[in-house]
Amino acid sequence: MSRETPKRRPPLWLQQALAFDEQVTKKFVIWGNSWAPLHSLRVHYKALEITCHGIPWLAFWIAFTWLFNLPYLVELQVNIILALILDILFVALIKAYFRRRRPLANKNDAFAEFGPDHFSFPSGHCSRAAMVTIIFGFLWQVPLIMFPPLLAWTVALCLSRVLMERHYLLDVIGGVVLGIMEGLLMAILWIGDENARWLMNIVSDEKIEGADV
């Protein structure tokens, strides 16, 4: 008769930290939903959730790259796709390892949630938003006038993940930290224009000018 493998239990200090996180998150949600500026954000929660979901982002950039194979955008397109793949991979691995349950108040109505997405730590939406902010803020700088809306979107998204009770505060913080680290990693792995065009020439039937093949 085979013995059942005992469930992995986190150390006491971590259990206490998670319990504290749950209490603080609950108080934050009550306060946030009673404060008018944040309460008005509720109608946009679902839209914010979709705007930073990994599948639409990856699908959009692959389609955008395939349909609009423009020489001056190839470097950005290749690196964004690489960054999204890395983010999805890192988030899935970390979630599968920690396996933290989502808040009890969370409704199982999330868009395209499967596999490790059922777990809470870290927030993939927040990691992706932070990473995108790093990329467009520092690695492929958008015009300065576009950065405040980008930052506002990131902050609103992170707040919505808690107020929507999809995540605890620690999940969001962990997601943001992960996203920043991914942005720094992309600064190291960044594929230059010439190499990006070379890669695109390999996978595309259309030759892009400026790449040696």
Side-chain angles (χ1 to χ4, degrees):
M1 185 175 180
S2 61
R3 295 181 179 179
E4 292 185 1
T5 304
K7 292 184 178 180
R8 184 180 61 188
R9 294 181 63 85
L12 180 60
W13 67 267
L14 183 55
Q15 293 182 45
Q16 293 173 340
L18 294 177
F20 179 73
D21 180 37
E22 292 176 12
Q23 294 174 5
V24 173
T25 299
K26 187 179 296 184
K27 292 179 180 179
F28 180 81
V29 170
I30 294 172
W31 170 80
N33 287 329
S34 63
W35 190 43
L38 289 181
H39 183 74
S40 63
L41 188 66
R42 290 181 64 87
V43 296
H44 305 294
Y45 285 170
K46 199 68 178 179
L48 283 168
E49 182 173 66
I50 296 174
T51 62
C52 203
H53 194 286
I55 293 176
W57 264 82
L58 187 58
F60 168 80
W61 277 97
I62 290 175
F64 178 60
T65 302
W66 191 261
L67 295 174
F68 300 95
N69 205 348
L70 304 174
Y72 63 90
L73 284 178
V74 169
E75 181 181 348
L76 173 64
Q77 292 168 332
V78 168
N79 283 285
I80 282 286
I81 291 173
L82 173 61
L84 290 172
I85 292 173
L86 289 175
D87 174 71
I88 292 171
L89 179 62
F90 288 152
V91 170
L93 289 174
I94 296 172
K95 283 190 174 188
Y97 178 78
F98 285 101
R99 304 175 71 86
R100 188 184 191 187
R101 301 292 181 184
R102 289 189 182 272
L104 293 175
N106 173 55
K107 296 179 181 179
N108 293 321
D109 61 348
F111 173 76
E113 183 179 86
F114 54 88
D117 283 338
H118 293 294
F119 299 115
S120 190
F121 180 87
S123 168
H125 284 73
C126 296
S127 70
R128 203 163 299 115
M131 180 188 70
V132 167
T133 302
I134 294 293
I135 290 175
F136 285 112
F138 301 98
L139 303 182
W140 184 276
Q141 293 182 333
V142 295
L144 187 60
I145 195 173
M146 295 178 63
F147 189 72
L150 174 63
L151 192 59
W153 168 73
T154 301
V155 172
L157 176 77
C158 291
L159 287 173
S160 73
R161 302 309 288 165
V162 178
L163 297 177
M164 203 176 181
E165 297 184 272
R166 296 285 198 222
H167 291 282
Y168 298 104
L169 282 169
L170 190 58
D171 304 333
V172 169
I173 294 171
V176 171
V177 171
L178 175 61
I180 293 173
M181 293 176 65
E182 289 170 344
L184 296 176
L185 178 61
M186 283 306 302
I188 298 172
L189 300 178
W190 192 264
I191 300 171
D193 182 66
E194 184 176 342
N195 289 331
R197 296 186 187 206
W198 177 76
L199 286 172
M200 284 301 299
N201 280 333
I202 292 177
V203 300
S204 174
D205 293 333
E206 299 180 9
K207 184 176 179 180
I208 301 175
E209 296 180 1
D212 296 328
V213 292

